[in-house]
Amino acid sequence: AQRLKGCLPDGAVTARFGGDEFVILLPAHYKNEQTAATCVQNIARQVNQLVSAPVQIGRHLIHCTTSIGLTIFPQSKDTSSQILRRADTALYRTKAEGRNGFRFFDVSMQRLAQSRWQLEEGLHQAIHRGELELWFQPQVTKEGVMSGAEVLLRWRHPTRGLISPLEFISVAEESGQIAAIEEWVLDETMRLIKHWDSMGLPETFRHVSINISPSHFMQSGFVSQVEGALERHTVANVNIELEITENLLIENFEQAIKTMKALQAKGIAFSIDDFGTGYSSLRYLSQLPLNVLKIDRSFVAPIDHESDETPIIDVIMLMAKKLGLEVIAEGVETQAQRTLLTERGCRLYQGYFFSKPLHHEEFYTLLKQ
Ligand code: C2E
Ligand code: CA
Ligand code: CA
Ligand code: CA
């Protein structure tokens, strides 16, 4: 904040707003958009000079840029938190549009922002009110046997109905709620499996995979959280597999490998989700205690319409063979896709062709058939 002060015009006030964010209050004579814009461009230029040299952190070279969100006030009956929220919304938009710039808050952002805030606030209550639900999607072998399932979260919102994780997971990540939510997912999944086991599970059903968000996975308490859930509800015959993404692994290689090894010792398996969409390297992958590569749906989807050339799938199969890993294809929707995947050596599939994700009660009924 001290260094930032040197970049500000007379009469401006600044304060750190947590992490790498600062709030700047400009005096009233900047209340016209044009003067305010000129003023922040000036500030941004000076700040960028301050932070212009890239910083080396481990293997990475970090380049800093300045993103700014602006709002002009007072407008009638605004509270300071409303004003801050508007600036934050504009900042969020600047970042979404490629960073290193500024945006004024405008009412078109308001509706989008409002629905995000409502989601964020609603999520705080969702766990306690029992609005989160676990759905399961079968994973099927070449022989047509259900050998496992992936847990997919759903939010049964009191007024909006069922909300997709695509809509609320990112909100949960940005608002810092993802760890609490996924801790519930871990515990509840294992509790359910134990319950099913007590009522009878087919012997061919061997594993359940759970999605873990990168920010949660990298938290220091993660290992003990998983251990806690395992201790509460251990099931001998069903393995727990965690799905993580390759970018997470490569960006935090040392810590990721530590976390994975600690959990592997407790019997946890790991699969790489959306494989092929990130940047992977055989050298990194070979050092990690992995079990499964999950071929992303985007490589399976084109199979029907185009030729039977599947260069990426072929490469993934080859990598998996070299690394001694299992492969599962996701998003399998047609017989043609399944046949071609089988021809390429893939032995596990997940997708609408076999079953959509099902509410856990419906899933257990299917499993028992
Ligand atoms: P994902 O991990 O890639 O999960 C697969 C998604 O593809 C699921 O969407 C599933 O319903 C959908 N899908 C499955 N088979 C097919 C198919 O044949 N065709 C098509 N078009 N789609 C198919 P869903 O349930 O909406 O989940 C979306 C994403 O939300 C998931 O993508 C996952 O990344 C995330 N997610 C779900 N639950 C959790 C969670 O507990 N934690 C975290 N971090 N993410 C979660
Ligand atoms: Ca997944
Ligand atoms: Ca996936
Ligand atoms: Ca995906």
Side-chain angles (χ1 to χ4, degrees):
Q2 213 49 48
R3 286 202 295 161
L4 182 59
K5 264 189 194 138
C7 306
L8 300 182
D10 285 346
V13 179
T14 184
R16 188 181 277 259
F17 195 50
D20 57 352
E21 292 185 6
F22 293 89
V23 179
I24 298 170
L25 283 173
L26 294 175
H29 59 264
Y30 290 105
K31 69 173 181 266
N32 150 319
E33 287 213 356
Q34 195 57 51
T35 30
T38 317
C39 177
V40 297
Q41 275 172 313
N42 234 322
I43 296 172
R45 191 163 27 84
Q46 293 183 61
V47 173
N48 280 338
Q49 274 166 11
L50 271 183
V51 298
S52 62
V55 184
Q56 176 97 33
I57 299 179
R59 261 193 298 277
H60 300 274
L61 210 53
I62 313 286
H63 294 268
C64 300
T65 59
T66 318
S67 300
I68 300 176
L70 282 145
T71 187
I72 291 173
F73 70 97
Q75 285 160 358
S76 53
K77 63 186 171 29
D78 292 338
T79 65
S80 58
S81 79
Q82 282 171 322
I83 294 163
L84 280 175
R85 272 184 168 184
R86 282 204 298 263
D88 196 45
T89 301
L91 170 63
Y92 184 78
R93 182 63 68 90
T94 305
K95 288 183 174 172
E97 287 174 355
R99 299 165 183 272
N100 203 22
F102 69 92
R103 279 287 298 242
F104 277 98
F105 176 84
D106 68 57
V107 271
S108 75
M109 293 178 191
Q110 183 111 25
R111 267 203 18 224
L112 202 78
Q114 235 152 26
S115 72
R116 270 185 53 87
W117 297 330
Q118 277 162 5
L119 278 183
E120 192 179 318
E121 265 157 31
L123 263 180
H124 277 294
Q125 321 282 343
I127 297 182
H128 312 290
R129 292 188 184 150
E131 292 167 5
L132 297 180
E133 293 177 1
L134 298 184
W135 288 49
F136 288 75
Q137 186 173 35
Q139 298 181 336
V140 178
T141 68
K142 198 170 75 182
E143 293 77 25
V145 175
M146 197 207 301
S147 63
E150 177 178 6
V151 186
L152 295 158
L153 193 55
R154 302 282 182 268
W155 179 9
R156 195 169 296 276
H157 191 277
T159 55
R160 293 186 43 195
L162 215 53
I163 303 183
S164 157
L166 294 175
E167 198 176 332
F168 68 84
I169 291 288
S170 64
V171 176
E173 284 170 339
E174 282 153 21
S175 62
Q177 303 184 67
I178 192 72
I181 289 173
E182 287 183 346
E183 183 171 15
W184 179 84
V185 172
L186 281 162
D187 201 76
E188 186 64 9
T189 301
M190 295 190 209
R191 194 190 64 78
L192 266 178
I193 297 171
K194 192 171 182 178
H195 175 59
W196 291 340
D197 190 51
S198 73
M199 300 193 299
L201 271 178
E203 271 178 22
T204 44
F205 186 75
R206 302 309 303 270
H207 75 269
V208 168
S209 46
I210 302 176
N211 292 283
I212 300 294
S213 150
S215 60
H216 182 205
F217 185 82
M218 296 317 295
Q219 284 182 13
S220 55
F222 183 68
V223 172
S224 52
Q225 223 180 69
V226 178
E227 284 172 353
L230 281 170
E231 275 159 27
R232 281 187 292 276
H233 333 274
T234 298
V235 172
N237 298 321
V238 181
N239 290 321
I240 298 295
E241 187 178 288
L242 301 183
E243 296 193 7
I244 47 191
T245 55
E246 51 200 325
N247 292 2
L248 158 105
L249 297 172
I250 289 164
E251 282 162 18
N252 308 279
F253 191 67
E254 306 302 332
Q255 203 193 327
I257 205 166
K258 244 202 216 149
T259 302
M260 290 172 81
K261 285 191 169 156
L263 288 172
Q264 186 192 39
K266 301 281 170 181
I268 298 283
F270 290 95
S271 70
I272 300 199
D273 205 358
D274 307 336
F275 191 72
T277 60
Y279 47 90
S280 22
S281 127
L282 261 184
R283 196 162 60 86
Y284 283 138
L285 292 177
S286 65
Q287 293 175 54
L288 295 164
L290 290 171
N291 308 78
V292 182
L293 299 182
K294 259 193 124 165
I295 301 182
D296 189 64
R297 178 162 82 235
S298 59
F299 306 117
V300 175
I303 286 175
D304 271 338
H305 334 289
E306 289 155 29
S307 69
D308 62 358
E309 304 244 320
T310 52
I312 296 185
I313 292 175
D314 299 346
V315 170
I316 294 175
M317 294 309 302
L318 196 70
M319 282 179 95
K321 204 170 165 186
K322 286 246 182 288
L323 295 164
L325 303 178
E326 191 80 70
V327 175
I328 178 165
E330 65 180 0
V332 180
E333 293 182 354
T334 66
Q335 178 63 55
Q337 289 169 346
R338 176 200 192 169
T339 306
L340 201 112
L341 285 160
T342 310
E343 282 169 19
R344 297 296 188 268
C346 183
R347 303 186 304 128
L348 278 170
Y349 325 96
Q350 179 182 341
Y352 296 166
F353 180 68
F354 303 94
S355 170
K356 294 201 167 193
L358 303 169
H359 182 274
H360 62 81
E361 283 167 8
E362 207 183 333
F363 174 78
Y364 183 69
T365 307
L366 175 77
L367 191 56
K368 287 286 278 179
Q369 271 169 16

